[in-house]
Amino acid sequence: MLELDDPRWSALTHAHGSAADIPDLLRQLARTTDPNDNYKSEPWFTLWSSLCHQDDVFDASYAAVPHIVEIACKATGPLDFRFFQLPAAIEIARNKGNGPQIPGHLAATYSDAIFRLTDCVALHRREDWNEPVLLSAFSALAVAKGHQRIAEAIMNLDDDLIEKLIASDFGEQS
């Protein structure tokens, strides 16, 4: 894992340029693991807009994922749903070709972090989960097991689509 004080963060990029700001955001994240329903809450808002911007990912995204997963695995108590959702979204985007290749020095820790999502979900299984946590955990599990299509479908579920699925209401078939 690329240490947070490693000068190579400055050479990595995200949606807004140099990733030199990401280590501080990750340090802040480690102090704020509790659920937060405000989508503009920090550091999540900046992490999302920098690391998975309009479904594009960057080399800094791959360096950040192991830290996000590690923070989630070490956290006690309920987690913010984005601990599962952001790594899953980054992996989905990567598999769709919406980012660069994973740099060699980040490949092993990134792949391990994606796989460790299963452990992370299991560590938090006894907590009460609201719907966003549940869907994000399912999406993270699907990504970790190599099912990106299913992960993306789960991530895109909303109340309207869930109701249509329950009612088998898919409109007219051609």
Side-chain angles (χ1 to χ4, degrees):
M1 183 162 38
L2 188 62
E3 296 298 324
L4 295 179
D5 59 354
D6 193 306
R8 290 181 286 179
W9 282 97
S10 295
L12 298 175
T13 59
H14 59 56
H16 310 292
S18 169
D21 60 335
I22 298 298
D24 284 339
L25 291 167
L26 293 170
R27 286 183 189 99
Q28 183 182 349
L29 184 64
R31 295 187 302 268
T32 57
T33 59
D34 293 338
N36 188 326
D37 292 334
N38 180 356
Y39 81 96
K40 288 188 176 184
S41 69
E42 291 296 346
W44 283 116
F45 185 79
T46 300
L47 285 168
W48 266 98
S49 68
S50 299
L51 301 175
C52 194
H53 183 72
Q54 297 179 349
D55 293 328
D56 287 328
V57 294
F58 310 86
D59 54 3
S61 309
Y62 309 138
V65 164
H67 290 279
I68 294 167
V69 173
E70 181 73 13
I71 293 165
C73 286
K74 287 182 176 179
T76 57
L79 278 181
D80 190 281
F81 71 96
R82 290 166 279 210
F83 277 103
F84 300 133
Q85 191 181 56
L86 182 55
I90 289 170
E91 179 63 359
I92 290 166
R94 184 191 74 79
N95 274 285
K96 290 170 76 173
N98 294 347
Q101 293 288 324
I102 303 172
H105 70 285
L106 301 175
T109 56
Y110 176 80
S111 295
D112 183 58
I114 294 300
F115 182 74
R116 284 188 66 216
L117 284 168
T118 60
D119 297 332
C120 190
V121 169
L123 286 169
H124 292 279
R125 71 187 180 276
R126 296 191 186 276
E127 296 159 11
D128 290 333
W129 287 357
N130 60 17
E131 196 170 283
V133 174
L134 180 69
L135 292 174
S136 297
F138 284 168
S139 186
L141 289 172
V143 156
K145 293 300 186 177
H147 300 284
Q148 282 75 26
R149 255 177 7 109
I150 294 169
E152 186 173 11
I154 292 168
M155 197 174 289
N156 286 312
L157 288 175
D158 62 14
D159 288 339
D160 291 338
L161 186 53
I162 291 170
E163 288 302 319
K164 287 180 180 180
L165 289 168
I166 291 168
S168 298
D169 179 15
F170 301 106
E172 296 212 12
Q173 301 288 327
S174 336

